[in-house]
Amino acid sequence: MSRPTADSSSQYTPALIVRQASPPNLETPFYALDGRITPQPSHYVRSHFPVPPLDAQTWRLEVGGGVDSVLSLSLEELRAMPSHTLSATMECAGNGRVYLSPRMPGVQWDLGAVGTAEWTGVRLRDVLERAGIQDGALEVILEGADKGTLTDPGRTPGEIRYARSAPLAKAQDDVLLAYAMNGQPLTPDHGFPLRAVVPGWYGMAAVKWLSKLHVTDTPYQGFFQTIDYSYWQQRDGLSPQMIPMTTMQVKAQIARPAPHGSVTAESVFEIMGAAWTGEGEVTKVEVSTDGGEAWADAKFLDPAEPHIWRRWRFDWHTPKQPGRVTLMARATDSAGRTQTPGHDAGRGGYMVNFPLPITVYVKAQES
């Protein structure tokens, strides 16, 4: 019997799928998942405004607000600071939006607005320590050089820059200000010359073309913190309140077979995919080949590590009869969080982590 393998896509680098040409929003063909690290040319790209034309010689990172010393750091000065490298899975908060019904506004991502890269740069906490944080600091605002206007999901008050904030505790923990991706300088699409990498958080926190850090003693209420990239959550028995999106939800996705692909009847097909979570580690992946009625454990290809996906495989003995089959995968993490059916309406078009139905077709064996 035939056995397609997990390495069947390793002979070529597939082109990114254009979801929007300008500004560039480009999706990885998730069916081509191969190594644990996504090559830079295959990593998804998310942009809200046009790519700003920045020059490494004149660019500066301005650090201000509630600090003892206002800083203006060149790329050369940042490179002279102690460097650190980390691997992190980054998922766009809207990944999988195409699976929502009714259709939700926003870029219609399929499965490929997610990737894992090796990032090199300086720790945000080292930059903040150099500036000196004043008492009462609550958050650090990260602002990019990209700017523009929007009308969806709300109308911006004229031209704005892309910005998000992180609580001081997170900023002083593992946030990286990266100038290299997979050992190479950042490309313009990926935020050259400097971008934030916020391990465990959705990609909207990873501000690109980073130009300003501002320490504040009040909660940041910017457009991309409140109007966009926020969701309804009920707390303490009160009415739902809007809170900013942060941590990635636990999730498993099927890479192969691809949606609406075909497999041969009475064969063994190696279903392959990846699973990740924002906090802790993925401890289990289960696969269903009957639309969620029954589940069986998949086998991991990678060790458990924080903030980086684990690839997995499952040997599927395909049915004898040709027809349509719905495959699903679900993950559980070290905190016991698991994927449950149905999308939380309070999340709108974001944080899509219910087990996604992947339709494939079983075809008869060739005689």
Side-chain angles (χ1 to χ4, degrees):
M1 291 187 288
S2 62
R3 181 189 293 270
T5 69
D7 295 325
S8 59
S9 68
S10 61
Q11 297 177 3
Y12 66 96
T13 300
L16 292 170
I17 302 165
V18 178
R19 296 298 179 199
Q20 185 178 1
S22 181
N25 285 289
L26 313 174
E27 179 169 348
T28 303
F30 195 66
Y31 65 81
L33 175 69
D34 188 8
R36 200 174 192 187
I37 299 296
T38 308
Q40 183 275 327
S42 300
H43 197 286
Y44 85 96
V45 172
R46 175 65 172 115
S47 306
H48 299 83
F49 303 124
V51 177
L54 300 177
D55 180 86
Q57 299 302 315
T58 58
W59 170 90
R60 295 293 184 271
L61 176 65
E62 307 293 340
V63 184
V67 297
D68 297 328
S69 301
V70 174
L71 303 178
S72 181
L73 301 173
S74 67
L75 185 59
E76 184 178 355
E77 288 174 308
L78 288 167
R79 286 181 173 275
M81 295 177 66
S83 67
H84 300 271
T85 298
L86 61 84
S87 296
T89 296
M90 187 182 298
E91 181 186 18
C92 177
N95 189 38
R97 183 177 288 137
V98 72
Y99 288 90
L100 297 179
S101 182
R103 183 183 187 274
M104 299 298 293
V107 179
Q108 294 302 297
W109 300 113
D110 197 337
L111 300 173
V114 61
T116 297
E118 187 178 83
W119 305 95
T120 300
V122 299
R123 288 178 176 147
L124 174 55
R125 69 171 181 242
D126 291 340
V127 174
L128 295 174
E129 182 178 347
R130 185 165 174 175
I133 301 174
Q134 296 178 354
D135 293 341
L138 184 66
E139 296 181 350
V140 179
I141 303 168
L142 301 92
E143 184 178 271
D146 53 325
K147 57 186 178 181
T149 60
L150 293 173
T151 58
D152 180 38
R155 184 177 297 276
T156 58
E159 187 175 74
I160 64 170
R161 293 181 183 270
Y162 186 86
R164 286 276 301 189
S165 73
L168 187 60
K170 181 66 173 178
Q172 292 180 311
D173 183 16
D174 55 3
V175 178
L176 192 73
L177 307 183
Y179 45 70
M181 177 184 185
N182 294 344
Q184 299 295 321
L186 293 174
T187 63
D189 277 351
H190 286 292
F192 171 85
L194 193 75
R195 73 173 299 166
V197 176
V198 186
W201 284 25
Y202 283 110
M204 84 273 129
V207 178
K208 299 194 290 185
W209 310 294
L210 192 61
S211 62
K212 182 183 295 184
L213 302 175
H214 185 90
V215 178
T216 177
D217 59 2
T218 58
Y220 180 57
Q221 300 293 317
F223 183 91
F224 296 102
Q225 196 91 359
T226 55
I227 305 301
D228 201 3
Y229 296 121
S230 58
Y231 68 106
W232 293 104
Q233 186 181 81
Q234 190 165 3
R235 292 178 172 177
D236 303 322
L238 301 174
S239 296
Q241 54 187 302
M242 191 71 81
I243 62 172
M245 294 176 187
T246 55
T247 309
M248 293 189 299
Q249 302 296 295
V250 63
K251 189 174 188 178
Q253 283 190 176
I254 294 171
R256 292 188 291 280
H260 299 284
S262 62
V263 299
T264 303
E266 289 191 279
S267 65
V268 178
F269 188 96
E270 184 180 84
I271 300 174
M272 184 188 176
W276 57 92
T277 188
E279 297 177 342
E281 302 167 349
V282 173
T283 56
K284 181 168 68 172
V285 170
E286 300 166 280
V287 174
S288 172
T289 60
D290 59 5
E293 294 296 324
W295 297 86
D297 290 348
K299 295 180 179 179
F300 287 112
L301 300 175
D302 303 304
E305 298 178 59
H307 306 315
I308 181 170
W309 62 21
R310 299 183 75 180
R311 295 169 301 156
W312 52 266
R313 57 178 289 272
F314 179 83
D315 285 343
W316 175 31
H317 294 261
T318 62
K320 296 181 180 180
Q321 297 298 321
R324 188 172 70 175
V325 175
T326 300
L327 305 178
M328 304 173 80
R330 67 184 181 192
T332 301
D333 67 17
S334 53
R337 293 175 289 250
T338 192
Q339 295 174 254
T340 56
H343 182 62
D344 182 347
R347 299 177 179 178
Y350 292 113
M351 300 166 67
V352 181
N353 82 314
F354 61 89
L356 300 177
I358 304 301
T359 298
V360 297
Y361 298 92
V362 178
K363 61 181 182 180
Q365 291 189 1
E366 297 180 0
S367 56

